[in-house]
Amino acid sequence: MSYLYLVRHGQADRLGKNYDQLTKLGWKQASLLGEYFKNHRIEFDSVYTGTLNRQKQTAEAILKSFTSDRFCIPDPLENSAWDEFDSRMWLGIAAKIRNSNEKFAKLYESYKQAWEEGKEETRSYFQELIQLVLADWVNGVWDPVEPYTFKEYVEKVTFGPKEIPSDVKSTLVVSSSTPIAIMMGLSCKMDHKEYPIFMKSILNSSLSVFRRQSNGWEPVSWNGTPHLQDPDLITIV
């Protein structure tokens, strides 16, 4: 039996000028997950990340727990199928919504100002904005959009699980919230327009487990944070 341990990256620096890196809390979340895996004797025959820095840093922190105790864990392989959507998509759609929706435009300006001032409110503003953008993207409201429509992006993500070798028993993949939501939707054989139900709640460094079947992967557990015993360590943005 083959298992896929699919992890969202730790908290990234939404308040900084370069989002694609972990915060101090993000590093801690990932390190605690590594300790959880080690303590529960969950080892990996293969490891993958997307190409994004925050994903690779999360894998680094997870695997450090193993390498420090001389466990034999393979080096991570990069696969862009596990990348989060390109930021050009959300910025492009956001610009179109702003021109047609005054409430969205005001919310965007509040987000932009909070981000420029480095305020914690940036995270909640972004969470609200991105859900509105994702809804329009998934439903093709502004298609065609660059660099890909949601349907095209789903097709891109499907290559990730397909490229996991069939002869490995345990695979760790560090990805981002949207590919994880798509993986869940695909495994449940849902219509792609229903995937946003998963996109709303995927926590930083959360763990979702899938089991390989002859026709693909089936979900075993979803969006768990057993490694985060302190509620203050649990974040979504």
Side-chain angles (χ1 to χ4, degrees):
M1 187 68 69
S2 179
Y3 288 90
L4 165 58
Y5 295 83
L6 184 54
V7 173
R8 186 190 177 197
H9 61 77
Q11 185 190 60
D13 191 15
R14 174 59 57 190
L15 305 184
K17 300 302 180 184
N18 177 17
Y19 174 63
D20 195 22
Q21 60 183 356
L22 297 186
T23 63
K24 184 178 179 179
L25 175 56
W27 281 101
K28 183 172 184 177
Q29 291 167 334
S31 178
L32 288 171
L33 181 55
E35 290 295 326
Y36 171 83
F37 284 140
K38 186 180 68 174
N39 293 337
H40 285 76
R41 301 178 184 176
I42 301 173
E43 299 179 54
F44 305 104
D45 304 308
S46 60
V47 180
Y48 293 87
T49 72
T51 66
L52 303 177
N53 195 45
R54 58 189 182 273
Q55 298 167 338
K56 292 186 285 185
Q57 288 178 338
T58 300
E60 177 187 343
I62 291 172
L63 298 181
K64 186 177 181 180
S65 299
F66 291 93
T67 55
S68 60
D69 286 347
R70 299 185 179 181
F71 281 80
C72 185
I73 301 291
D75 292 333
L77 300 174
E78 293 181 25
N79 186 340
S80 62
W82 295 110
D83 283 356
E84 184 58 280
F85 56 77
D86 193 304
S87 60
R88 288 176 295 169
M89 178 282 296
W90 105 264
L91 290 171
I93 291 181
K96 293 177 180 179
I97 300 175
R98 277 157 50 204
N99 290 330
S100 61
N101 186 318
E102 184 177 351
K103 182 179 179 181
F104 183 96
K106 289 181 179 178
L107 182 63
Y108 188 90
E109 288 305 313
S110 296
Y111 160 74
K112 185 177 178 182
Q113 182 176 347
W115 179 79
E116 289 174 347
E117 296 174 359
K119 292 182 176 180
E120 189 65 31
E121 291 93 327
T122 300
R123 300 186 188 279
S124 58
Y125 285 137
F126 176 78
Q127 182 69 0
E128 188 173 352
L129 286 169
I130 198 62
Q131 294 304 322
L132 296 170
V133 170
L134 288 174
D136 277 11
W137 186 40
V138 169
N139 288 286
V141 174
W142 306 100
D143 283 355
V145 296
E146 294 295 335
Y148 32 56
T149 65
F150 184 67
K151 183 179 179 181
E152 292 168 338
Y153 180 71
V154 169
E155 292 173 353
K156 174 178 179 288
V157 172
T158 60
F159 285 104
K162 288 179 180 178
E163 294 182 12
I164 297 173
S166 59
D167 59 346
V168 299
K169 292 183 178 180
S170 182
T171 297
L172 170 66
V173 173
V174 180
S175 184
S176 294
S177 59
T178 313
I180 295 171
I182 290 171
M183 181 68 182
M184 191 65 177
L186 291 169
S187 67
C188 294
K189 297 179 173 56
M190 297 167 61
D191 183 274
H192 75 270
K193 290 188 178 181
E194 298 177 284
Y195 294 175
I197 193 172
F198 299 120
M199 296 177 187
K200 298 176 183 179
S201 57
I202 303 174
L203 301 169
N204 292 127
S205 78
S206 65
L207 172 63
S208 299
V209 182
F210 299 82
R211 177 170 49 218
R212 189 193 294 273
Q213 296 296 316
S214 58
N215 60 343
W217 297 86
E218 67 177 23
V220 175
S221 63
W222 160 251
N223 198 34
T225 54
H227 55 297
L228 302 179
Q229 297 300 308
D230 182 349
D232 290 339
L233 298 179
I234 299 176
T235 59
I236 195 168
V237 178

